């Protein structure tokens, strides 16, 4: 706080187009930012708004944000040019618990493949056996696989239409993989309905499952209550964004969220 | 010795003088239900609801200053009608009073809202003091006749206790509190946030999308103490103190100044222990009372005046 | 790159935008002489002097809150006549402007004081905003016609720059600043302290002998930023920002908000390094300007508005 | 600060009359207060005011304040009864430097004898050779000698009228003592004109001399400027109260102080 007052300044070094809807910003900071995999940052452009993003890479003074253009702010951020600035606060939230014993299966859908990468790299660095499944609707929608390849990551791909890798959804691929091999831990980021299916399967199999939730984050500090998961009263920004699947199954997880006015609305994805 | 912590705010009997301040932790009924099980919470004030749903302002809406927060949430809320429905779903399970905070922009809205919400509320807090929302809050609060009309409308629409929350951002807060009491308020909540803003030196822009916001937390505690102290001498209604209560001493300070009960907002987020801050403060207040030889917290209300 | 830190406040050319705020460090001319040798101090504002000597209030007169101070010194000062004599003894040795702060209680006093003090002052700051002294400061400041009369009297008695220091404790500070400018003020200093008080839970009594006091320091910084920002849009006169400047970012924040210069008070005492806080802040501002590619501090005045 | 909010509460255990004008309060605290000899406390009674006092003894949770009744507040405090409360903030100021090499001569006039006692005890405890001279107008005005005797302190007395010990003022006694024996360090607390004479003599003799000054202390924190020593611009509450004699000789030391309105007035004692 004292070094940065309110926000840390970051400069866009490059902007990599992942798909027609998703871009990765490579940012340079003036100092290193310590982030636990799974924690998130609040990313601000004055006039354009501020949104929560889970970094897709953190390496010294380099930071990658992989952003899907879903609305105004995300679209503006995803379109920034080299030399432009963004302003960061955080890291916020709990991050993944990567010290549970056993092997890890990571399942990333859409931009979730990017957001899971820091956890993947951290596990591999610790010498933990890890398998990374990434998925999307089709080959064109796959996010971050080029970067994963550059990083020398071992990963397997699933596409709904079979245009690359396994043909089917990630829950289907997960079922397939776990019919052959049992991982003690599953980490997943992706569309919420996908995560619910995976979490349910994990509970069935007695496998530990950590999911990263998305809700409307305003303060990021646990003050405003905008990100609450009902009826548990958990605040995604401080109690999460990572939750153990068995703790939140049966709640609004995968079914309801609150919109910006705090109205309870259905989760659509 | 176990000092008694029960207090009575305009007919609302609270097992603890500590209440959750409006808006902090938002409007989720499930959070209210959970908070209400804490034995050191005496009552919960809901997020301020308005006539129509409000999405609030664009992010950024909050700045953490360390010694306080600046917020311009813009009163996001689902609107009174949907909120009544949500509160209904938890009302029965609550063992403590539920005070519904309302932000009507005129008398008509006030009447409609209160009539509708009356079935789920044990009392109302009228927010005439939000410093950053146009046509609501302070804008209304500083138009004396309009404010008075709204309080009268609320008073006329419910038999339950009515609190009016006042703003520190005025020359003569005593006059505002007095006119609220004259219009029928049973108690005064003091204070809402203090006008402020922050500029990021790197971005060279105001941080809050609304530019201006309200300062809360430690920073405003001395302001709250002062206003409670002066109101205690100048108005007859009970006072609920609010502003920068972070530990038991802050709570005791407001009670000694004249507050019958104390609301806690920012500390919930600034404390390492989250909602346990209520237990730490509650325990501190009990230890203090025991050490000083008081059998009830009621005995120290306003004691700094004698 | 060595950015230029010279600014011009209503004709007063300051080598640094940083000034010593009124009253902090008291009225000793020897301290002024020493402070004035600091290259990062652009001007010194004296303790407020009144027509007659004042001993101020009984102790306690100050409370340290960590994130700020509460003070009710009661404007102790030797009176303008003796003070003029004392300032005369150091005036020649000062290389930076000396701004004499005055707290007249009416027009007659204002005229007499300013005529007498004119020979030792490079400018005046009229204190219409001390929150804890009756018949002076805020009491005068909130009586619009009286305040205006005093400013006119000061204006009529000197050709030197006249600053008017305003209070945050009013509903409409813009109106106060405007009427000061209409009455002839060349610049507005914003802000004086915020009303507050503290109660000791062991003593169960208000700490300040005057009960109420003025809050300064970090706690009021967002309030100062907000008032400077709004004044910058609404009045034409230059603004001197004051309130909670503890490091270079706080100073830059006020300048971006619209302040031409910045006063520092509480930080002198709260900083581990005492008066070196001016050098730390000065150095920080220069580094900031260089990093952002500005050649003069003047280029960033009010930049947060664009 | 966090334990005490604003003030520490202390309870009067006993009130010992030293002379007709001076009393010693024995106080009990709820926790130990760490004070360097020569530092002072601000002592408050609501309604009666608050004044600076240099403790005359600090021992665990016991604290002694030796107070001369010179005005309203000091008279009220000096008259407190067992069981009554006072409220303390501090310690403030710098205290004595007791690690300078060589032997120490302590010279305490009036209540200064009491205020110097913690420094005396600390030096003796460190095994530093120390001589303690205490003085007053006459035998009846001697302060704290009973307590010093109880503490087993070795001290020598001077009275102006010779009713006990050396006949003469403390500066005279000092001249006499230093004609026989040379101490490397002198510490002194007492009437300012006495201290000036001693400091002048020390400078003459090349002896290090630390004096403890009294000025009007309001904030105690270096903020309000009420305690300034002109023309040096030194603040007694933070730069002092202890100063090296040679640093302040030639200033207003011993000649002028500022009254509560900040007017420059003559030092009378
Ligand atoms: C902890 C966390 C980490 C995140 N990490 C990433 C990331 O790494 N990459 C990434 O692309 N996105 C991430 N998100 C999601 C991202 O923050 C939202 O997409 C973004 O806030 C949308 O803002 P917007 O202004 O562009 O869209 P808006 O205009 O606000 O909304 C566009 C549409 O999306 C809906 N919407 C907005 N926010 C959410 C939400 N939180 N949940 C569900 N629907 C929403 C709106 O209702 C609307 O229909 C993360 C979210 C959270 C909470
Ligand atoms: C660092 C420090 C340590 C001190 N330690 C002790 C101590 O251990 N024991 C003790 O008895 N006293 C001590 N004093 C002095 C004591 O604080 C004053 O005597 C006291 O403040 C007087 O307050 P009052 O309200 O009783 O008198 P007042 O009514 O304020 O004054 C009575 C008379 O004394 C004069 N006076 C008041 N304060 C001072 C002052 N600071 N210097 C000179 N004249 C003054 C007044 O002008 C007036 O003539 C100390 C002072 C300082 C600054
Ligand atoms: C994030 C946030 C949201 C708030 N929302 C409301 C609100 O909806 N209605 C209201 O009356 N006060 C609201 N307040 C003000 C608080 O209820 C309280 O008056 C203020 O924060 C001072 O108390 P504190 O210092 O304990 O936080 C809000 C405060 C914060 C920090
Ligand atoms: C001990 C003290 C004394 C003050 N005396 C005066 C005064 O005489 N005249 C005045 O205009 N302001 C006075 N002030 C207010 C300051 O000049 C300044 O407006 C205020 O402290 C806010 O700035 P800060 O946060 O940097 O301290 C005083 C403040 C303090 C803390
Ligand atoms: S975003 Fe405000 S509580 Fe989570
Ligand atoms: S007493 Fe205030 S500066 Fe020393």
């Amino acid at each position: 706080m004292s070094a940065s007052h309110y926000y840390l300044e970051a400069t866009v070094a490059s902007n990599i187009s992942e798909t027609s809807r998703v871009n990765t910003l490579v940012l340079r900071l003036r100092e290193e930012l310590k982030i636990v995999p799974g924690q998130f940052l609040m990313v601000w452009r004055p006039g354009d708004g501020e949104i929560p993003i889970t970094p897709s890479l953190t390496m010294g003074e380099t930071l990658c944000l992989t952003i899907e253009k879903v609305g105004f702010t995300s679209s503006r951020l995803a379109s920034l040019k080299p030399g432009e600035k963004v302003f960061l606060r955080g890291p916020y939230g709990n991050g993944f618990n990567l010290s549970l014993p056993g092997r890890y299966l990571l399942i990333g859908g859409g931009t979730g493949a990017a957001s899971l990468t820091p956890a993947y790299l951290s596990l591999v660095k610790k010498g933990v056996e890890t398998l990374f499944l990434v998925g999307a609707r089709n080959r064109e929608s796959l996010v971050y696989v080029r970067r994963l390849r550059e990083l020398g990551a071992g990963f397997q791909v699933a596409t709904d239409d079979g245009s690359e890798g396994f043909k089917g959804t990630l829950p289907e691929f997960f079922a397939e993989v776990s019919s052959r091999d049992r991982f003690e831990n599953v980490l997943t980021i992706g569309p919420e309905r996908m995560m619910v299916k995976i979490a349910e399967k994990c509970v069935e199999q007695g496998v530990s499952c950590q999911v990263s939730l998305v809700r409307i984050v305003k303060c990021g500090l646990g003050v405003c209550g905008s990100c609450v998961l009902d009826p548990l009263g958990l605040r995604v920004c401080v109690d999460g964004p990572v939750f153990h699947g068995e703790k939140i199954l049966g709640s609004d997880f995968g079914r309801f969220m609150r919109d910006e006015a705090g109205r309870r609305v259905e989760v659509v994805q | 010795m176990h000092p008694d912590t029960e207090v009575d705010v305009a007919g609302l009997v609270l097992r603890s003088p500590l209440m959750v301040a409006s808006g902090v932790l938002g409007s989720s009924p499930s959070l209210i239900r959970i908070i209400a099980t804490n034995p050191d919470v005496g009552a919960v004030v809901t997020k301020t609801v308005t006539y129509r749903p409000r999405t609030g302002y664009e992010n950024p809406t909050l700045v953490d200053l360390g010694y306080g927060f600046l917020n311009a949430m813009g009163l996001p809320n689902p609107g009174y009608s949907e909120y009544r429905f949500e509160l209904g779903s938890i009302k029965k399970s609550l063992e403590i009073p539920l005070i519904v905070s309302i932000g009507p922009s005129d008398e008509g809205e006030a009447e409609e809202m209160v009539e509708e919400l009356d079935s789920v509320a044990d009392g109302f807090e009228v927010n005439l003091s939000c410093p950053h929302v146009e046509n609501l809050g302070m804008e209304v609060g500083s138009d004396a006749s309009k404010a008075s009309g709204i309080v009268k409308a609320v008073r006329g629409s419910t038999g339950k206790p009515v609190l009016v929350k006042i703003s520190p951002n005025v020359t003569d807060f005593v006059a505002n509190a007095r006119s609220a009491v004259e219009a029928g308020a049973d108690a005064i909540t003091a204070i809402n946030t203090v006008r402020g803003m922050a500029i990021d030196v790197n971005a060279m822009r105001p941080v809050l999308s609304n530019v201006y916001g309200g300062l809360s937390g430690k920073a405003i505690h001395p302001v709250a103490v002062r206003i409670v102290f002066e109101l205690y001498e100048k108005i007859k209604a009970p006072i609920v103190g609010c502003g920068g209560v972070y530990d038991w001493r802050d709570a005791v300070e407001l009670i000694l100044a004249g507050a019958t009960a104390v609301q806690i907002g920012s500390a919930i987020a600034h404390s390492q222990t989250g909602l346990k801050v209520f237990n730490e403060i509650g325990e501190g207040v009990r230890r203090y009372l025991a050490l000083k030889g008081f059998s009830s917290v009621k005995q120290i209300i306003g004691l700094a005046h004698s």
Side-chain angles (χ1 to χ4, degrees), chain A residues 1 6-7 9 42 44 46 49-50 87 217-218 221-225 228 230-233 235 258 260-261 263-264, chain B residues 24-26 28 30-31 33-34 53-55 59-60 62-64 73 76-78 82 86 199-200 202-203 207 269:
Chain A
M1 196 65 178
Y6 308 121
Y7 285 83
E9 183 178 272
M42 294 300 288
W44 174 46
E50 181 196 50
F87 302 93
V217 169
K218 291 184 175 174
L221 298 159
V223 199
C224 74
V228 170
D230 287 304
L232 301 169
R235 287 161 296 169
R258 291 193 177 265
E260 298 198 316
R263 281 174 297 218
R264 201 151 165 252
Chain B
V24 180
L25 294 182
S28 153
S30 68
L31 257 177
R33 202 176 33 74
I34 292 163
R54 290 175 57 94
T55 52
N59 262 356
L62 197 111
V63 186
D64 187 355
M73 306 303 302
N77 77 89
E82 174 157 345
E86 290 225 37
I199 293 169
D200 187 82
N202 288 315
V207 177

Side-chain angles (χ1 to χ4, degrees), chain B residues 86-105:
Chain B
E86 290 225 37
L87 290 177
S89 72
I90 55 154
K91 180 69 186 87
K92 277 221 195 82
S93 65
L94 301 181
E95 286 176 13
I96 59 173
L98 179 66
I99 299 172
V100 179
S101 171
I102 55 170
S105 58

